[in-house]
Amino acid sequence: MRGSPRMFCLSVILPSCCAAAGVAAIVAWLQVGPLVPVEARVPGLDGAPSLESLSADVVRPAPGEPLFGPGKAGESPGVWPWFRGPHRDGIVPSAAIARRWRQGRPELLWQTPVAEGYAAPAVAQGRVFFLDYDVQRKADVMRCLSLDDGREIWRNSYAVDVSPNHGITRTVPAVVGDLVISFGPKYHVVAWEAATGRARWIIDLVADHGATVPDWYAGQCPLYDDKLDQLILAPGGPSLLLAVDPRTGAVRWKSENPQRWLSTHTSVVITEIEGRRSYVYSASGGVALVAADSGELLCQTNAWRVPTAACASPVPLGDGRVFCSGGYDSGAMMLRFGRQGERYVCETLFQLKPRQFSSEQQTPVFFQGHLFGVRQFDKRLVCLDADGNERWNSGREKFGAAPYLIADGLLLALNDRGRLTLTPADPAGPYQPLAQAELFEDGVDAWGPMALAGDRLIVRDFTRMQCVRIGGE
């Protein structure tokens, strides 16, 4: 059907008039210019709230007053002050370990129930410290037990809602003088008085420093550098690492994080690079080298990263070498940091496929020029030389994701069910167990790191922690 002349005129003339008006408006605007000055969007000048102002609005957990139990500090000697022991390497050279046990197993001294997870203790002053969780009260709970009999000396807590996700707890505290410093599942760092249980300070790494809590919660353990008397934390986000005064919680320095790498389940380690004390951290996007005295980011590389969950911490071997390993088909890699003129650089010395070596959870031990660890691919305990060549493995013996350490020239290794195996830590091999014992009845996921203080070995499975005597006669 054809339209009328009036409709035709409207359909042609009206759009033409609108177009002409639009052109006139643009010409007028160009002649007048902007009505207000326009400035570049500069961080801090655009009215956006800063990280500090945002954190001021966050409701922070507040530790309460300690509750005291019947326990007393033990008289047993020996210390395990932080993650991986006195020298941070998983080795106790001065221990005296029995090669055989009466009744076919070490003497059980005490056992206590714990929340689901893998948190492990630090030991000092006859006390056992570990961060537990109270499911009913929804609170992280710092517990102090007697090393002698396991009775509770004190406990203190702060409210935080954590839902079980393959367990809740995963970290090891650090004993620093008269303080014990914990790292909670949701990145709350607290300094507790070791004798009284009172909280001296608390840092919320999410609210205060823009950290992102990783999947499966915190696995990072606080690092105390006794040479420089500072606590090292890895929040990721705006700052990759922080140095903190252990007595006050005040920040001494922050390292830059230009790639905005996130934190992982790994812990920061200390190394020396051509005489300069440094920290190595395996973050979400790669490995970073940071100056210990200033926090300067010296070098970073994306040659090594674990795509799903990095758990095993880097292992310094000396001469700038750092061994990195992980699960989820990542295998392992040997890096070397060094100086090239005024710059620090990193090179890859070799890489191992998962079938050669991989470590999903535990950090390998470097002993007598060799690396000892459990390979995720086949769950075997293996010994590698410093070039990545296998020297021996445990054959049909499987160890899963459970922990191990070296003491008195022996490898002490658990399996997933909590069976303890003693075998010589001899690079020449072969794998030849001296003794084995089931420490837990119906043990499940005995993945938490062990602690060895004097002749006392503290181990745990998913819901129980126990102390056994393994010293020599």
Side-chain angles (χ1 to χ4, degrees), residues 66-105:
L67 301 175
F68 297 95
K72 304 294 181 184
E75 298 180 357
S76 305
V79 295
W80 189 270
W82 38 61
F83 179 54
R84 306 195 77 215
H87 306 291
R88 307 179 188 86
D89 57 5
I91 302 171
V92 185
S94 59
I97 307 299
R99 268 57 176 172
R100 292 286 186 274
W101 301 307
R102 296 176 180 177
Q103 311 302 322
R105 60 156 291 152

Side-chain angles (χ1 to χ4, degrees), residues 69-77 124-129 144-154 194-195 456:
K72 304 294 181 184
E75 298 180 357
S76 305
Q125 307 156 12
R127 300 177 175 93
V128 177
F129 305 97
C144 173
L145 312 180
S146 168
L147 177 58
D148 285 352
D149 57 23
R151 292 191 297 173
E152 193 162 273
I153 301 172
W154 59 258
R456 312 295 174 96

Side-chain angles (χ1 to χ4, degrees), residues 386-412:
D387 294 320
N389 301 304
E390 183 176 317
R391 299 296 298 271
W392 55 259
N393 68 64
S394 59
R396 289 181 291 179
E397 291 273 1
K398 309 292 185 179
F399 290 85
Y404 42 86
L405 58 83
I406 292 178
D408 194 15
L410 296 175
L411 260 168
L412 285 66

Side-chain angles (χ1 to χ4, degrees), residues 155-472:
R155 64 167 53 198
N156 203 345
S157 64
Y158 54 87
V160 57
D161 190 359
V162 185
S163 300
N165 184 9
H166 295 281
I168 298 174
T169 66
R170 283 173 172 79
T171 61
V172 180
V175 180
V176 180
D178 64 345
L179 298 175
V180 55
I181 298 170
S182 62
F183 198 120
K186 290 195 171 178
Y187 276 47
H188 300 103
V189 182
V190 185
W192 315 85
E193 294 179 0
T196 69
R198 290 182 173 84
R200 188 169 296 180
W201 54 258
I202 180 169
I203 296 174
D204 185 332
L205 289 177
V206 174
D208 299 339
H209 299 286
T212 300
V213 178
D215 295 336
W216 304 295
Y217 309 122
Q220 176 188 160
C221 303
L223 170 67
Y224 175 63
D225 186 340
D226 46 357
K227 184 174 181 179
L228 297 180
D229 186 31
Q230 59 190 17
L231 185 73
I232 306 301
L233 307 170
S239 302
L240 186 61
L241 302 187
L242 302 173
V244 172
D245 185 318
R247 280 161 293 282
T248 67
V251 174
R252 292 182 177 173
W253 53 249
K254 302 177 183 181
S255 66
E256 62 179 327
N257 188 16
Q259 304 299 321
R260 284 298 191 266
W261 287 349
L262 302 179
S263 62
T264 62
H265 302 288
T266 71
S267 298
V268 184
V269 300
I270 301 172
T271 191
E272 296 280 339
I273 305 297
E274 298 188 18
R276 185 168 192 179
R277 194 171 185 84
S278 307
Y279 304 127
V280 177
Y281 184 57
S282 182
S284 64
V287 181
L289 181 72
V290 173
D293 57 352
S294 65
E296 178 187 358
L297 181 61
L298 302 176
C299 181
Q300 57 183 15
T301 176
N302 60 7
W304 170 259
R305 60 182 296 271
V306 180
T308 301
C311 298
S313 299
V315 180
L317 276 64
D319 191 30
R321 293 171 297 165
V322 176
F323 184 72
C324 300
S325 57
Y328 305 96
D329 294 323
S330 55
M333 180 179 288
M334 185 74 78
L335 303 174
R336 174 180 281 159
F337 291 96
R339 245 183 128 150
Q340 194 175 82
E342 297 299 315
R343 299 186 309 122
Y344 285 84
V345 297
C346 180
E347 62 175 321
T348 300
L349 299 183
F350 62 81
Q351 185 168 6
L352 301 180
K353 296 179 180 179
R355 288 174 175 267
Q356 295 172 289
F357 189 78
S358 55
S359 182
E360 181 181 4
Q361 294 194 45
Q362 308 298 333
T363 300
V365 178
F366 183 59
F367 179 68
Q368 293 186 354
H370 289 72
L371 290 154
F372 296 83
V374 174
R375 180 169 50 210
Q376 182 193 11
F377 174 73
D378 56 11
K379 314 301 184 186
R380 291 172 175 169
L381 186 65
V382 301
C383 173
L384 306 176
D385 66 22
D387 294 320
N389 301 304
E390 183 176 317
R391 299 296 298 271
W392 55 259
N393 68 64
S394 59
R396 289 181 291 179
E397 291 273 1
K398 309 292 185 179
F399 290 85
Y404 42 86
L405 58 83
I406 292 178
D408 194 15
L410 296 175
L411 260 168
L412 285 66
L414 289 183
N415 72 0
D416 289 340
R417 299 185 306 278
R419 181 179 63 198
L420 178 65
T421 296
L422 299 186
T423 189
D426 185 353
Y431 171 77
Q432 190 170 5
L434 302 176
Q436 292 182 317
E438 302 288 345
L439 300 186
F440 295 97
E441 182 179 353
D442 301 322
V444 175
D445 292 350
W447 298 345
M450 297 184 286
L452 177 61
D455 65 350
R456 312 295 174 96
L457 180 70
I458 302 175
V459 298
R460 67 164 294 166
D461 77 345
F462 200 50
T463 58
R464 295 165 291 183
M465 180 180 290
Q466 68 174 227
C467 178
V468 297
R469 190 196 309 273
I470 62 168

Side-chain angles (χ1 to χ4, degrees), residues 124-140:
Q125 307 156 12
R127 300 177 175 93
V128 177
F129 305 97
F130 69 101
L131 189 67
D132 209 354
Y133 189 76
D134 188 322
V135 176
Q136 282 69 41
R137 294 179 58 239
K138 296 186 181 300
D140 286 341

